[in-house]
Amino acid sequence: MATPATGHVDPAFIAKFGSSLEMLRSVFYAPTGQPFVIAGSGTLTWDATAANLVEPGDNVLVVNTGVFGDWFAECIGVYGGLVDSVRAPFGDRPSLAQIETALAAKKYKLITVTHVDTSTGVLNNIDDICALVKRVSPETLIALDGVCSVGAEVIKQEEWGIDVVMTGSQKALGVPPGLAIMVVSKRALDVALNRKSAPSTYFASFKKWLPIMQKYESRQPSYFATPPVQLILALHVALTQLVAAQTTLEVRFAEHRAASKRVKDTLESWGLRIVPVRRECAANTLTAVYYPSGISAGEFLPKVAAKGVLLAGGLHPEHAGKYFRVGHMNVSVMHGALNGHLDTTLNAIQAALQECGYKL
């Protein structure tokens, strides 16, 4: 990010953009997928998925585990999709039986799954869901919101048959915010490029961006909208670290599982309770934790912040004041021995709880 200003037709930038697109296939486990990298947040990938794959009147099933499922459903509705949601109580995920019942009831053009919903800390079992969809409704496209999982949770896009995987740059990929990143299957591209109704988006159109991505990957300049050069250079650095690291991606996933277990074990040993109802549905990239009885967000969070640690409060509108969230991903996990992020965070939480009068 501190490199000198660089033009989007600079040969050095073109080479790194092309290389980044190629490396995304490795990170997403999608050797034949089509990567897209566009200026915008992860939310733009919702728009792109809905606008390109959903036509007015199409049925869409949303596997909902929190606020981000609600918002993705709202986005799909904007583009004319008819949305049904399968839900679970706060802190849980819908069962495979619920999803199978919904899929058997009607034909769905698309099913969307939030891999990790950051409002609840719940992890969806996307591999099992994909196997179910392939068995019960193989024509249904599968879209995965991986904003809080890509680069830290296991996602084998092509092997599992996921048609679209979406993410933003700022979470487990470790790049500053501002890039909407997705990898799209050939099947989904064919649907988007052969839709019956007129395109419902201009900026997020796969048809507009596909030749741009193809040109950059072939190391040629192209233009539809100016790419965020510095962010893409930062993405190239991050992806190089992921792909060329001495540790494999499988080791990286294991490190995130170990870090998550350590954080959750420690918090539970202090008598705290995490939001996910079972460990198997708890994310490895963050932990959502209930406040102890008698301790409020307004009392606790400023005490943690005073120790140089920023935690997120609750996000789910029905439960926001009941819990806080701790992120643990990327450098905080992979370079924890050097930066001490997890130790510092847990020590700050412990001290703040004691200052609030909580007995560990």
Side-chain angles (χ1 to χ4, degrees):
M1 290 296 291
T3 56
T6 305
H8 67 279
V9 294
D10 186 300
F13 169 71
I14 293 168
K16 289 183 177 179
F17 195 175
S19 174
S20 297
L21 294 169
E22 292 166 350
M23 287 190 285
L24 283 171
R25 291 194 181 91
S26 297
V27 173
F28 283 62
Y29 287 77
T32 67
Q34 176 57 56
F36 292 87
V37 178
I38 306 170
S41 73
T43 306
L44 178 61
T45 65
W46 289 352
D47 270 296
T49 298
N52 286 282
L53 299 182
V54 178
E55 300 190 49
D58 283 343
N59 293 318
V60 179
L61 183 64
V62 173
V63 180
N64 190 310
T65 49
V67 167
F68 289 91
D70 292 335
W71 292 345
F72 201 171
E74 181 183 4
C75 175
I76 291 164
V78 167
Y79 295 97
L82 304 179
V83 178
D84 294 317
S85 295
V86 286
R87 301 175 180 272
F90 182 68
D92 205 350
R93 64 192 184 192
S95 68
L96 292 174
Q98 284 178 268
I99 299 169
E100 181 168 359
T101 298
L103 288 172
K106 67 172 72 169
K107 182 178 179 180
Y108 286 99
K109 172 78 164 293
L110 175 72
I111 181 172
T112 73
V113 182
T114 308
H115 200 190
V116 171
D117 196 305
T118 53
S119 72
T120 58
V122 169
L123 171 72
N124 258 313
N125 47 337
I126 183 59
D127 51 341
D128 294 331
I129 293 172
C130 288
L132 171 64
V133 174
K134 280 194 271 187
R135 176 172 60 83
V136 176
S137 184
E139 70 281 0
T140 299
L141 298 169
I142 303 171
L144 181 69
D145 175 348
V147 168
C148 197
S149 64
V150 169
E153 302 278 7
V154 180
I155 302 172
K156 297 191 175 180
Q157 181 171 356
E158 204 152 301
E159 179 182 332
W160 295 346
I162 308 173
D163 292 287
V164 182
V165 177
M166 301 156 269
T167 194
S169 49
Q170 76 277 12
K171 295 277 178 75
L173 292 181
V175 180
L179 293 177
I181 301 168
M182 55 202 311
V183 176
V184 181
S185 73
K186 183 182 184 302
R187 180 171 77 146
L189 269 182
D190 288 343
V191 169
L193 299 179
N194 294 286
R195 51 186 290 133
K196 296 174 184 177
S197 60
S200 54
T201 181
Y202 183 72
F203 181 73
S205 168
F206 288 168
K207 185 176 288 188
K208 292 288 187 182
W209 282 111
L210 179 60
I212 309 302
M213 298 298 114
Q214 291 172 334
K215 283 283 191 179
Y216 272 109
E217 193 167 355
S218 63
R219 308 308 192 262
Q220 300 175 54
S222 192
Y223 179 79
F224 168 54
T226 304
V229 174
Q230 305 302 117
L231 285 173
I232 291 171
L233 292 176
L235 175 66
H236 183 265
V237 172
L239 292 174
T240 300
Q241 292 173 347
L242 262 68
V243 173
Q246 292 181 351
T247 56
T248 65
L249 285 169
E250 296 292 343
V251 170
R252 181 182 177 87
F253 300 146
E255 291 285 349
H256 280 81
R257 289 192 293 270
S260 175
K261 184 177 186 303
R262 178 191 168 198
V263 170
K264 291 172 173 62
D265 285 351
T266 300
L267 294 172
E268 288 184 337
S269 75
W270 297 339
L272 303 183
R273 185 164 63 94
I274 66 173
V275 170
V277 297
R278 300 178 304 282
R279 281 291 184 97
E280 68 185 40
C281 65
N284 294 302
T285 50
L286 83 156
T287 299
V289 196
Y290 287 109
Y291 296 109
S293 177
I295 296 178
S296 68
E299 181 184 15
F300 173 73
L301 293 178
K303 294 184 186 302
V304 177
K307 298 166 186 18
V309 174
L310 291 179
L311 300 179
L315 183 60
H316 196 287
E318 297 175 14
H319 305 274
K322 300 176 184 177
Y323 69 105
F324 63 94
R325 294 171 295 149
V326 184
H328 34 79
M329 65 190 85
N330 200 273
V331 295
S332 296
V333 171
M334 301 307 298
H335 303 295
L338 297 175
N339 58 43
H341 286 179
L342 297 186
D343 288 333
T344 300
T345 298
L346 290 170
N347 290 339
I349 291 172
Q350 182 182 46
L353 287 170
Q354 291 172 324
E355 289 172 17
C356 290
Y358 181 71
K359 304 298 182 183
L360 297 175

